[in-house]
Amino acid sequence: MAAEVVKEEVYSTIPMRTWRWLGVNEARVASSVLTAAQERRIRVPAGEKHTVVLVYRDEPAAHVQAELAAGAELQLIKVQLAEDGVRRADTIEVQCSEGAKFSYTAVEAGAGVSTTKLLVALNGDKSEADVAALYFGDRKRRIDMNYIIRQAGRDTRANMQIHGALAGESDKIFRGTLDFIRGAKGSTGREKEEVVLLSPKVRNRSVPLMLSGEDDVDGHHAVSVGRMDENKLYYLMSRGLNLAEAERLVVEAALAPVLVRIPDAQLAAEVREHIEGRLSHV
Amino acid sequence: MAKKKTFIEDIERTLYDIKNEDRPVYKTKQGLTDEIIRDISAKKHDPDWMLAFRLHSLDVYNHTPLPVWGPDLSELDMDRIVTYVKPDAKMAGRWEDVPADIKDTFDRLGIPEAEKTSLAGVGAQYDSEVVYHSIQESLTRQGVIYTDMETALVEHEDLVREYFMKLVPPKDHKFAALHGAVWSGGSFVYVPAGVQVKIPLQSYFRLNSPGAGQFEHTLIIVEKGASLHFIEGCSAPKYNVTNLHAGCVELYVKEGARLRYSTIENWSRNMMNLNTKRALVEKDGLIEWVSGSFGSHVSMLYPCSILHGENARCEFTGVTFAGHGQHLDTGATVVHAAPHTSANINTRTISKDGGIAVYRSAVKVAPGADHAKCSVNCESLMLDDRSRSDTLPVMDIQGDEADIGHEARIGRISDEAVYYLTTRGISEDEARAMIVRGFVEPIAKALPLEYAVEMNNLINIELEGAMG
């Protein structure tokens, strides 16, 4: 029987291309996934504070556009817990005016193939983006994330903290870009990704880009990829936990900084149980 | 209070810009055709297999697209590049025998003086051919071979055939294929097992002919337990037409061997520098790269270390200074292909006057390369808001027994650091100077003293300027 041919298209690209053999220049998504995208527009008027929680279980795609007026604040929580057979693609685009604050918390813990792009434009002076995401890969899960924060206004602040764990035969790409546009004087950007590797068959690709056309900025990115800290495991096991329990606790602790940002306690508990359940099969 | 800036002088190029009359004894026509390749091969008296290799490479070149990433290469018109320029000089073993104008050029660059004081052997290439080569007799007695590639092809054909363009095959990329087709000159070094070459060897490459390309090939084999420090220098005078450098460096570091490969590159700013360097490191071997990129209009240079044997190691130290009209895209790649391999990449970039400095890297951990360790640190200093500084590292890790860390910073000189130093009694001017010198110090200290001095001269810090 002939293999099924899935028609794909380029869904997102990194702002600056590199060697093709690394396979990180672009993310491709099945065209059929994109035709069913849910559209969502969020407008936060000047001075107002909104919180929006998006939970995705079986929708194939979503396209969220948010505009934050001057001094507006948006707390956007995205939790993705789709079944293994689901292929997903999400786009979140955010425009921030002067003094606006965007907070984004994302959980990527489901779907067989999950492709995400986040584009945040800090156009206004003193606008801020605080992004925290966790991903958990197990079995044959494919996770592709492309986060870009473009800092165009003066004195903008960007913070990107990514925590992940990879088990089974999972394969993940995280591209995180801090893009300082000329004129973004006094701006700062921080990006950090920490990845815990739990299986010899995982593949992790990390691509932290930092682009700058402005000298009066302070940019810093860091990536750490490795096994679980053996000292932590030893400590926990010396307190009576077996290896599996200790490993589970260490992974949960690694993901905790993101989980605590979910304001809905019930949803946070569901995410925790979802990941614990999967960890118990690792 | 307005932020102030440190002024770092542009690189003084007078020394490098002195042009000699272009009077080769032979030049190919411009462009790249089957006929030109056969012509070069005949002039160089290639064996048949090398002619076949060149023609195969040309075919690969014609079927390989330009890279779709990196700097804009549209200014490069191969139909206007002369790929082979034979200078009016025969290879000499004594400086006295090198023609006067060519010898004067190398004199001004300090090569003969360096040979007397701090080198165990020297090679000097002028346009497409090596015009001078020497090596201390004590090394020859130990079996060390240091000669030009053409002589190696005659006297050590088996070795050349075994290793030539095996690490960088023509199919690697378009300019590797170009190199395979038109290569000329370069150095061949063979260090027998257990021999420690304690004083460095140096090859210097000078491209004098306008509109020409230089395609030297450097092939170094350091056998089991041996060690070598090899230094490469490059420069050219500036012309109004594009010159091209597409050299190729292949380094074989065998079991327990050590090789330090240092480069101070100061090509003129009409040069497209599309160079390929790669090392294969076997068990317990060590490759150390020291790379200073100061010249050229466009550079694409990412020395690659393939850590092929258990416990193989790589140390990469690089500095890139991009000034007006320069787009220097530099970095490093490391492939961990065996267990317990380790790498340490440490780079600094400076951009000013509209220059573009890009740090680009790839760290790959292949399946089975358990306990691979890699640490990457890159720092970029921007001296004005007309320049660009971009950082694009990729880490690709397969397996769970790896420990990979990457850290990068972009910014200007920190006010806090200057303040801290002034509170310790250091004047503000001296504090600024210390910070900028400290920024490139990891590179300077990796070089032999004479070359560190040259590098400091290349980056001349104007102490009386203000800082930010």
Side-chain angles (χ1 to χ4, degrees), chain A residues 17-19 182 185 199-200 202-206 208 210-212 215-216 219-223 225-227, chain B residues 3 5 69 360 385 388-393 395-397 399-402 404 406-412:
Chain A
R17 298 171 77 88
T18 192
W19 293 287
R182 187 177 175 190
K185 292 187 181 301
S199 153
V202 296
R203 183 174 191 187
N204 173 74
R205 279 172 280 183
S206 297
M210 196 153 49
L211 314 175
S212 187
D215 67 319
D216 187 8
H220 180 225
H221 70 211
V223 175
V225 186
R227 283 175 64 85
Chain B
K3 292 181 180 174
K5 292 179 188 299
W69 51 272
R360 186 187 299 270
D385 60 5
R388 276 204 70 82
S389 185
D390 298 326
T391 305
L392 202 179
M395 284 144 273
D396 181 358
I397 295 114
D400 62 344
E401 295 276 2
I404 308 298
H406 172 96
E407 194 164 359
R409 287 179 189 277
I410 286 181
R412 50 201 273 152

Side-chain angles (χ1 to χ4, degrees), chain B residues 180-191:
Chain B
V182 298
W183 77 271
S184 180
S187 293
F188 175 83
V189 185
Y190 179 82
V191 185

Side-chain angles (χ1 to χ4, degrees), chain B residues 48-60:
Chain B
D48 290 346
W49 67 268
M50 184 56 82
L51 171 62
F53 185 88
R54 288 181 187 276
L55 292 170
H56 165 69
S57 299
L58 176 65
D59 187 51
V60 174

Side-chain angles (χ1 to χ4, degrees), chain B residues 191-207:
Chain B
V191 185
V195 174
Q196 316 298 317
V197 181
K198 289 178 181 155
I199 307 173
L201 304 179
Q202 183 187 25
S203 284
Y204 199 95
F205 301 97
R206 175 79 176 171
L207 181 54

Side-chain angles (χ1 to χ4, degrees), chain B residues 261-303:
Chain B
Y261 195 92
S262 302
T263 305
I264 296 289
E265 176 272 301
N266 194 18
W267 292 116
S268 55
R269 295 193 183 169
N270 59 315
M271 182 71 81
M272 300 284 236
N273 180 35
L274 310 173
N275 213 2
T276 308
K277 298 181 178 182
R278 196 162 294 165
L280 183 71
V281 189
E282 301 293 354
K283 187 180 177 203
D284 297 324
L286 169 65
I287 177 73
E288 294 174 277
W289 301 95
V290 180
S291 186
S293 294
F294 301 98
S296 83
H297 169 46
V298 167
S299 269
M300 294 176 78
L301 178 62
Y302 326 97

